[in-house]
Amino acid sequence: GNKPQSEQHVREDVQNASTVARRVEKAVAEASVRLGRVGRGAQDQAGKSESGVGWYKQKVRQLLFNLRDKANGALRRRVLSQTLSAEDLVTVDAIELANGSVAAEKKKVRAEEARKVALEAKGSGVQPNTAEYLCPECGSKRCYVQFGMKGGWISSEKEGTKEVVCCDCLISFDG
C-alpha cells in the first residue's frame, strides 16, 4: 500500500540528505586544508585574513544557519537535489546563501557600503553643490557640478566642459 512506500521515500530522503551532508562536510574540510596549506587564510569582506581553521568554523556556522533557516527552503532544495554541488556551496558568498528577504537586505547594506567607500575614494566625500539637476539613475537632486576646459593650447580651441555627478549613486551624466 501507500504507507510502506511513503516510509521508503522518507528513508531514501534521509539517506540522500546524509550523503549530501557528508559531501558538504568534506568540501568544507578540503577547502579549509587548502587555505591552511597555502599559508594564508581566506579574507573576509572587511579584508581581515584568517586561518584555515577559523575559516572552517565560520563556514560551518554559516552553512548551518542558512540551511536551518525555515524561510530558506530554496537553498535546501538546491543542495539536496545537488543542483548546487557541495564544492560550489562552499564557495558561495553570504548573500547567495541567505533567504530572499535577508539577501535583499544584505545587498542593500553592501551597496550602501560600496557607495560610501566610493564617495570617500573620490575625495573627502563629495558634497552636493547644486539641486538644479535630476539624476537619471536614482532621481536625486543632490548633485555636484564641476566645470572645466578641454581642447588645444590656444584659448580659441578650448571648450567648456561640465561634469554632473550624483552624490547619492555616483553616476556621471550630462546636465
Side-chain angles (χ1 to χ4, degrees), residues 75-89:
L75 177 64
R76 284 189 298 280
R77 282 189 296 279
R78 288 176 62 204
V79 171
L80 288 173
S81 68
Q82 297 179 39
T83 56
L84 178 62
S85 72
E87 293 76 17
D88 290 340
L89 179 66

Side-chain angles (χ1 to χ4, degrees), residues 10-149:
V10 169
R11 266 188 251 120
E12 288 171 4
D13 288 346
V14 169
Q15 186 176 6
N16 180 44
S18 295
T19 302
V20 170
R22 282 192 297 278
R23 286 185 185 144
V24 169
E25 183 181 11
K26 181 180 177 191
V28 173
E30 287 174 350
S32 168
V33 168
R34 277 193 307 272
L35 289 172
R37 218 183 272 147
V38 171
R40 60 181 173 77
Q43 286 195 343
D44 66 11
Q45 289 159 348
K48 288 191 323 194
S49 190
E50 57 184 318
S51 71
V53 173
W55 181 88
Y56 176 87
K57 288 178 181 178
Q58 178 189 359
K59 183 55 79 170
V60 168
R61 280 192 302 268
Q62 182 185 56
L63 292 174
L64 284 173
F65 176 82
N66 285 292
L67 288 167
R68 288 178 176 166
D69 181 355
K70 290 183 186 338
N72 209 348
L75 177 64
R76 284 189 298 280
R77 282 189 296 279
R78 288 176 62 204
V79 171
L80 288 173
S81 68
Q82 297 179 39
T83 56
L84 178 62
S85 72
E87 293 76 17
D88 290 340
L89 179 66
V90 170
T91 61
V92 169
D93 79 345
I95 289 177
E96 292 178 71
L97 286 174
N99 72 51
S101 62
V102 171
E105 185 59 32
K106 285 183 178 190
K107 283 180 185 175
K108 186 177 171 184
V109 168
R110 194 177 278 180
E112 179 61 22
E113 288 172 356
R115 186 185 74 77
K116 286 179 183 175
V117 167
L119 279 173
E120 289 171 9
K122 200 164 173 103
S124 59
V126 175
Q127 297 299 315
N129 63 2
T130 184
E132 293 180 31
Y133 301 95
L134 183 65
C135 174
E137 184 72 23
C138 72
S140 174
K141 286 190 148 201
R142 293 175 17 90
C143 297
Y144 176 81
V145 179
Q146 183 170 349
F147 296 95
M149 299 292 282

